[in-house]
Amino acid sequence: MSTSLALLRAVFALNCIYQLTTAAILSRSMHPVREIRETDDILSRIRRDGVQKRSIPSGMIYSRELACRVDMVGIEGEYYYTETGLGVVCGTYFLADPDEIVEVEITEFDASCEDSQLEFFDGWATSGGLFPSEMEHQLPMDQRVQAVCPRTNNRRFIFKATQNIGMISFKLAQIGNTLRITYKSKRIPNPCHVMAKEASGMFTLRNHGQEGNCSFANIYPTKITVVNMQIGSGTNEAQLKCDAENDFVQFLQGNVFDLPTMTSVESMCGRSGNPVPVSDNSVGSDLAPLDSSCSGGSLTIPLTCSVSLVRITSTGFTENSVHFMYNRIVGAKSGCQS
């Protein structure tokens, strides 16, 4: 998975203010992260390669070499990389279970800080945008980036994400320079922003009684089937297009993880607890209707663009949740018109 790299232009369309703000932050503090973002096929590589699934015998430590330019890590263990002269920035994307956070320890960085770099990013930065987005994350952008350089004696570099995804980007300048890391995942009680680890499955997105937004993302065209919903306190029935409600859930789609450019397919509030028909339990179904529809007491919402997002907006006065099935839409073109 190696390609040549040059510093290219910004990779996804943003409105003017957002573009200037993000560019200023990236140019100031995110050199390797910025460079790896400008590779135009990161999400397609992640879709192609997926997350490794392997049963590790008790007492054994999983270990393998990292691939460059893009690698996906989902198994706890030790990972290493030795520079062979590629001279490019490499990105490693970590993906834990939905109720876990990513933890990465840099156990060896045998390279000079004068011409080599290594940074951790709290989330994913790809050619398909940032997730969680700058406006959604609890930390400002400059606190989401942590660098190994400059180094101090006896300092341990242990980086923790605030959700189930994180990444490192690095560039080792000299042939023979080495990097070694340990990846762990740790369970948390109240996940808010979540990246799907599987293309299809079931999930309950909650606000945990807090003000703000929580979101569930998938990097595939996805059919969403709402099983149970409790959003807001105004009605005992589910309502569509709740633009006037303070608390609501949105179902969005787009080509990149950039909220201003994503399309809201449905916006809902209220309460619903109808059972899911047996016919909707198939994994990876390609039978999503062309439009949102109610069938057998369940609401089905097809999100047919490259990336899909379920997003709860909460005032903090109620416990909001939406329980849904998500199935990859097989045969979709994995894109939509801009």
Side-chain angles (χ1 to χ4, degrees):
M1 291 190 292
S2 300
T3 62
S4 61
L5 172 70
L7 287 175
L8 305 175
R9 66 186 183 280
V11 293
F12 60 95
L14 301 170
N15 62 58
C16 184
I17 295 177
Y18 183 74
Q19 187 176 36
L20 291 173
T21 302
T22 304
I25 293 171
L26 295 179
S27 63
R28 181 171 67 245
S29 63
M30 291 177 65
H31 307 295
V33 173
R34 178 186 61 197
E35 227 173 299
I36 198 67
R37 281 183 69 196
E38 293 167 350
T39 304
D40 61 6
D41 59 350
I42 291 176
L43 285 181
S44 64
R45 294 186 186 192
I46 291 174
R47 292 186 187 101
R48 180 190 67 195
D49 299 332
V51 179
Q52 286 183 311
K53 300 174 185 177
R54 187 170 300 185
S55 178
I56 307 300
S58 178
M60 297 288 291
I61 298 177
Y62 180 72
S63 179
R64 73 165 172 86
E65 186 174 8
L66 291 172
C68 184
R69 298 239 3 247
V70 177
D71 203 348
M72 276 287 294
V73 170
I75 301 174
E76 291 186 331
E78 297 179 348
Y79 297 83
Y80 55 91
Y81 178 80
T82 300
E83 179 58 42
T84 59
L86 292 175
V88 299
V89 171
C90 308
T92 302
Y93 293 79
F94 301 93
L95 178 59
D97 288 341
D99 60 347
E100 296 177 334
I101 60 170
V102 165
E103 179 179 296
V104 178
E105 179 177 4
I106 311 300
T107 56
E108 181 182 338
F109 183 63
D110 182 22
S112 170
C113 282
E114 293 182 0
D115 52 12
S116 299
Q117 295 173 309
L118 188 153
E119 291 176 340
F120 175 84
F121 181 67
D122 185 359
W124 277 3
T126 75
S127 52
L130 303 178
F131 184 79
S133 69
E134 181 181 1
M135 66 182 68
E136 299 279 275
H137 203 275
Q138 65 193 64
L139 297 177
M141 186 68 77
D142 57 357
Q143 292 184 27
R144 295 173 66 181
V145 184
Q146 301 178 63
V148 166
C149 295
R151 289 178 288 185
T152 57
N153 291 334
N154 300 321
R155 178 183 172 186
R156 295 182 66 194
F157 289 97
I158 301 178
F159 303 123
K160 294 182 180 181
T162 53
Q163 63 284 311
N164 72 323
I165 57 172
M167 65 175 288
I168 60 169
S169 53
F170 58 92
K171 183 176 184 179
L172 305 183
Q174 303 297 323
I175 295 177
N177 285 164
T178 57
L179 165 68
R180 188 173 293 270
I181 66 172
T182 299
Y183 162 64
K184 297 179 181 178
S185 58
K186 293 191 174 181
R187 203 163 300 278
I188 56 173
N190 299 322
C192 180
H193 297 294
V194 171
M195 178 69 70
K197 194 172 184 178
E198 307 288 345
S200 301
M202 213 170 224
F203 188 73
T204 301
L205 182 64
R206 306 177 186 274
N207 74 322
H208 309 289
Q210 302 297 312
E211 181 182 5
N213 303 321
C214 290
S215 53
F216 175 90
N218 202 347
I219 59 172
Y220 299 99
T222 306
K223 179 182 76 171
I224 302 290
T225 302
V226 177
V227 180
N228 181 283
M229 180 183 71
Q230 298 184 53
I231 304 292
S233 57
T235 178
N236 288 326
E237 296 182 353
Q239 296 182 348
L240 300 178
K241 310 297 183 183
C242 300
D243 296 334
E245 288 289 329
N246 291 323
D247 291 44
F248 57 93
V249 58
Q250 286 178 292
F251 302 87
L252 302 104
Q253 64 180 4
N255 291 324
V256 296
F257 287 119
D258 175 38
L259 284 173
T261 65
M262 296 186 79
T263 300
S264 178
V265 176
E266 289 290 359
S267 179
M268 300 172 60
C269 59
R271 297 170 183 266
S272 175
N274 295 316
V276 180
V278 175
S279 59
D280 276 340
N281 287 331
S282 57
V283 175
S285 171
D286 61 348
L287 302 178
L290 295 178
D291 299 300
S292 302
S293 64
C294 292
S295 176
S298 299
L299 179 72
T300 298
I301 305 166
L303 305 174
T304 58
C305 293
S306 297
V307 295
S308 309
L309 198 69
V310 180
R311 176 175 180 254
I312 292 179
T313 296
S314 304
T315 59
F317 296 112
T318 59
E319 289 277 351
N320 293 324
S321 66
V322 56
H323 181 57
F324 56 91
M325 294 170 35
Y326 59 98
N327 292 326
R328 179 179 180 179
I329 304 176
V330 177
K333 295 181 179 180
S334 218
C336 57
Q337 294 183 352
S338 302

